[in-house]
Amino acid sequence: MARGKTQPLLQDRSGNESDQIEEPKDGNAQELTRTFNPRTQAWDIFRQQFWRLLFTAVLVALVIITLTIYDNRQAIAHKDKNAFNTITTILNLALGLNFLEAFKDMAKVLRWRVLANRKFTVRETDLILGGESLVKLSTLMRESMKKPLTCSLALNLLAQASVAIISLTYSMDNGVDSTTITTSSGMVSVPRVDCYYNDGNCTTAPDQPPEIAQNEAHAYGELTQGLEGCPYTTDEDIFSSSQDCQYFYSNNRQEFAYRFAEYNPRDRRRAYPYQTQRLIKTSPGQCYQYTPRDNDIYFTNSRDGPQSMVVHRFLDGTDEDLITVSRSKTAFDSTTYAYIGIQAPQNASAVACGPRCIWVYAIRFNGTVTHRGTDIFKCPITVSTVTNTADPAHFVPNNTARMAAASIALTGRYTNPIGDPMKHWQQYQLYPYGSHWETDTLTPQEVGSRMAEFAIGSLTGMANLNKHTTIPGTLPTLGFHLSVKWRYVVALMACITGVHCSLVGLIIFIARPVAIPGDSNLVTARLLQGMVSKLGEKGGLLKGKEIADAIQWEVLGSANGRGSVGYGVRDGKDGMVLEVGEGMVSRKELPGGRFPDGEYA
């Protein structure tokens, strides 16, 4: 083929140029006609929109299900947070895009109704036909005096805003305590519980004065009144309790428990512990109450000087027993707790009732306030071993357990009579009337309950205040928690679904009096053929506005830019014809204000 010579674009099989589609030889030209029936058209539109509406409902359901699943989770790990953000982003984008497509479908129907209602300039007609584009809608609003499709633009923007608002109905908040932790195996920080520590030193070590350990055991027990205790019936009640419970007591207050925790080494404030299933318990055994038979007072010489001692004699069964109390530790209407062992509690033998048990006494003195007599109580206080241990660092040794059992009576001060080189560790703690630890009106078992409660408080203080060590365990990591404003979520989802349902109904209603062509570009080109063909072969590279101006000013000859272009019906040689152009019969000019039923060429 020679350079510069144009080859014909359309030829018939014999090599002759052709500019028309050859009609079928069997004469089936009627295949290009279609029948317009408003009811059939409504059902076709409904079927097309039903699947989009169903997709909206599915997406709304998935959003609610996703929020429900994550809202029910107390703690959300970082990777799960990323998964949540990914899922919700995809769902919100899909919902927004689906909603956008629904409004595009409405614009594709609405444009024909608008063009069929009145006349527009060619430029306005071009923009209306592109009404599914928000950019073209905005241009139309700016350039047109008639402001068609205003409602479509407003609804579209409102719908997109409603989808965007979904993310404002929930928030992924940082966790603040043990209810929002995630766990994994790792190195954890746990309190050292092998002894009572002071300034980082184990107070029961051979080089440490034993007075320090006894004083700390008692001081920690005094903290019990500042701790929050929670009742329990079984251990499961303890394991399901909140972080706020610092110790636990049985319903009859005859058993007390402390639950050990493990901490993230980076959690300096110990704000989000992992609550383990390791427990230590204290309890009173069978307690006894005695009435003193008589009292003797005598003086003893110690290195601190003469001391006045009161001897209370009482019958323990058939045997006579006695308890000696320093007179400085007695007062009317008060209670004095006594540890009467010669050896320190951690080494006690004579007053030990087991490897982790100590006999503790309480003397309730008479007085004019309470109008009571003097009574003596004797209780065995037992500290259990730690349950569910997995590391040597979890064990509380027997000597520390005995120290806690006797803690309510300890002062850390020994008595040492002159001439006796061995320290005597009898100790007494006085609690005046009105104190929580005073025993007015209490039964023997209730007195034992006070002793056991003091012991668990001492162990709790030790676990909370002792130095920490690092061992393998269950590592808590602060996670996230989803906060959902459900009333807004439900209202917004109902609104989105309801608006889409209304949109489907609106599309069908709008389309009812007008024949709605397909949304193919070929269909639009066919309907514009009569108007655009007047440009002949010119304008192939012109922009839409330039073509509209050319048709408006040169072909239609409208001097003021006010055109007479519309979508309507005209009579053709093969029947009724749908077309966008000048001189079309508008919908309002047709009988009944609607396109006639029947066949269209």
Side-chain angles (χ1 to χ4, degrees):
M1 182 173 64
R3 184 182 298 273
K5 186 176 180 180
T6 303
Q7 178 73 16
L9 299 178
L10 196 60
Q11 295 182 337
D12 59 20
R13 298 196 178 194
S14 63
N16 298 324
E17 296 181 8
S18 173
D19 59 356
Q20 292 184 349
I21 297 177
E22 185 177 352
E23 290 192 5
K25 294 182 179 181
D26 58 1
N28 290 334
Q30 67 272 18
E31 291 181 1
L32 299 178
T33 64
R34 289 292 182 268
T35 301
F36 168 62
N37 183 290
R39 180 171 297 179
T40 302
Q41 176 178 266
W43 277 109
D44 290 340
I45 294 174
F46 176 76
R47 280 191 291 269
Q48 294 171 7
Q49 295 300 314
F50 172 77
W51 298 110
R52 195 175 302 285
L53 176 60
L54 181 63
F55 190 44
T56 294
V58 170
L59 290 174
V60 166
L62 288 176
V63 170
I64 293 177
I65 291 172
T66 301
L67 293 178
T68 301
I69 291 174
Y70 280 86
D71 186 38
N72 289 337
R73 297 176 61 175
Q74 289 293 324
I76 300 173
H78 183 73
K79 63 178 182 179
D80 294 330
K81 175 193 173 185
N82 292 338
F84 172 81
N85 290 337
T86 301
I87 293 171
T88 53
T89 299
I90 291 173
L91 290 176
N92 288 344
L93 285 176
L95 192 57
L97 291 174
N98 189 60
F99 230 18
L100 180 62
E101 290 300 316
F103 275 95
K104 285 185 177 181
D105 290 344
M106 185 184 78
K108 290 175 182 178
V109 172
L110 185 59
R111 62 185 178 178
W112 300 113
R113 175 68 180 266
V114 171
L115 289 173
N117 282 349
R118 67 175 93 173
K119 306 298 182 180
F120 294 92
T121 65
V122 178
R123 173 61 174 165
E124 290 173 338
T125 301
D126 181 40
L127 293 174
I128 291 172
L129 288 174
E132 69 271 18
S133 168
L134 291 179
V135 175
K136 289 189 176 181
L137 273 180
S138 300
T139 304
L140 178 63
M141 293 291 294
R142 186 177 65 253
E143 294 184 6
S144 175
M145 298 296 295
K146 300 176 183 178
K147 310 296 183 187
L149 301 180
T150 304
C151 180
S152 175
L153 178 62
L155 284 176
N156 199 334
L157 295 175
L158 181 62
Q160 296 305 310
S162 65
V163 174
I165 289 174
I166 294 176
S167 61
L168 300 179
T169 61
Y170 59 86
S171 61
M172 188 66 75
D173 302 326
N174 290 325
V176 294
D177 56 24
S178 62
T179 62
T180 53
I181 62 170
T182 58
T183 57
S184 60
S185 298
M187 299 301 292
V188 298
S189 176
V190 298
R192 300 194 64 168
V193 292
D194 54 330
C195 66
Y196 289 87
Y197 278 79
N198 180 57
D199 292 332
N201 299 314
C202 180
T203 54
T204 57
D207 61 340
Q208 293 292 315
E211 295 93 327
I212 298 177
Q214 298 173 43
N215 186 271
E216 286 207 350
H218 181 82
Y220 288 166
E222 291 283 5
L223 300 176
T224 307
Q225 287 185 270
L227 303 176
E228 181 174 352
C230 299
Y232 73 95
T233 302
T234 66
D235 290 351
E236 291 302 319
D237 297 331
I238 298 177
F239 298 145
S240 62
S241 65
S242 71
Q243 176 185 349
D244 297 331
C245 298
Q246 295 168 293
Y247 76 98
F248 302 87
Y249 54 87
S250 63
N251 291 328
N252 61 359
R253 303 188 78 93
Q254 289 297 295
E255 185 178 75
F256 299 84
Y258 173 73
R259 184 183 188 184
F260 289 94
E262 295 177 348
Y263 300 87
N264 190 313
R266 294 179 296 177
D267 179 17
R268 301 297 183 184
R269 297 184 178 180
R270 300 174 189 170
Y272 51 97
Y274 167 68
Q275 302 289 345
T276 72
Q277 292 192 345
R278 298 196 305 274
L279 301 176
I280 191 169
K281 297 181 179 181
T282 62
S283 60
Q286 178 65 48
C287 295
Y288 303 93
Q289 180 177 0
Y290 308 105
T291 300
R293 300 177 63 187
D294 55 58
N295 301 328
D296 288 338
I297 299 176
Y298 72 94
F299 292 89
T300 183
N301 291 323
S302 70
R303 295 182 181 182
D304 296 322
Q307 293 189 43
S308 175
M309 308 295 291
V310 180
V311 179
H312 298 278
R313 293 185 177 85
F314 57 91
L315 283 178
D316 186 357
T318 58
D319 298 327
E320 186 177 70
D321 204 347
L322 60 85
I323 181 171
T324 303
V325 182
S326 172
R327 194 167 187 180
S328 64
K329 299 296 183 180
T330 65
F332 291 112
D333 299 303
S334 66
T335 296
T336 296
Y337 293 91
Y339 169 73
I340 63 173
I342 300 297
Q343 296 176 312
Q346 59 267 38
N347 303 318
S349 58
V351 294
C353 41
R356 302 172 71 88
C357 178
I358 292 290
W359 286 102
V360 181
Y361 290 80
I363 303 95
R364 183 166 63 192
F365 293 103
N366 65 317
T368 58
V369 175
T370 57
H371 301 288
R372 68 191 183 196
T374 299
D375 293 294
I376 298 174
F377 300 91
K378 175 183 176 183
C379 291
I381 305 301
T382 300
V383 176
S384 74
T385 57
V386 181
T387 61
N388 302 312
T389 56
D391 190 277
H394 297 159
F395 291 88
V396 175
N398 291 349
N399 58 351
T400 303
R402 288 197 296 268
M403 187 86 70
S407 59
I408 195 169
L410 301 182
T411 62
R413 180 62 174 156
Y414 60 88
T415 59
N416 195 3
I418 294 177
D420 190 343
M422 186 178 71
K423 295 179 179 178
H424 292 194
W425 287 103
Q426 296 99 332
Q427 298 171 63
Y428 313 94
Q429 279 286 359
L430 171 67
Y431 289 96
Y433 178 75
S435 167
H436 173 74
W437 308 109
E438 213 279 315
T439 61
D440 186 45
T441 72
L442 298 186
T443 65
Q445 288 307 124
E446 290 173 337
V447 173
S449 172
R450 289 284 199 275
M451 299 174 180
E453 184 180 14
F454 198 98
I456 204 66
S458 180
L459 292 168
T460 301
M462 180 184 71
N464 289 335
L465 300 174
N466 268 10
K467 64 186 292 186
H468 276 225
T469 186
T470 302
I471 62 172
T474 303
L475 179 65
T477 303
L478 200 57
F480 303 88
H481 175 68
L482 182 66
S483 298
V484 183
K485 300 175 182 176
W486 278 111
R487 59 176 179 174
Y488 296 117
V489 170
V490 173
L492 192 56
M493 294 303 170
C495 179
I496 290 174
T497 307
V499 167
H500 198 158
C501 290
S502 302
L503 198 60
V504 173
L506 182 61
I507 291 173
I508 295 173
F509 177 79
I510 290 173
R512 182 174 49 84
V514 178
I516 305 300
D519 58 2
S520 169
N521 290 332
L522 292 175
V523 174
T524 305
R526 159 65 187 82
L527 294 173
L528 293 172
Q529 178 184 7
M531 183 174 62
V532 177
S533 63
K534 294 180 180 181
L535 293 177
E537 297 178 350
K538 301 177 182 179
L541 290 179
L542 294 180
K543 296 181 180 179
K545 189 175 188 307
E546 294 172 329
I547 292 180
D549 290 343
I551 296 174
Q552 186 72 51
W553 296 93
E554 298 179 15
V555 179
L556 298 181
S558 177
N560 57 6
R562 306 296 180 188
S564 57
V565 177
Y567 170 55
V569 182
R570 67 174 177 83
D571 291 325
K573 63 179 181 177
D574 294 324
M576 293 181 291
V577 177
L578 295 174
E579 195 170 88
V580 177
E582 58 177 330
M584 304 303 297
V585 179
S586 66
R587 178 186 67 83
K588 294 181 179 179
E589 297 171 343
L590 294 170
R594 57 191 299 272
F595 283 23
D597 298 357
E599 288 191 352
Y600 285 77

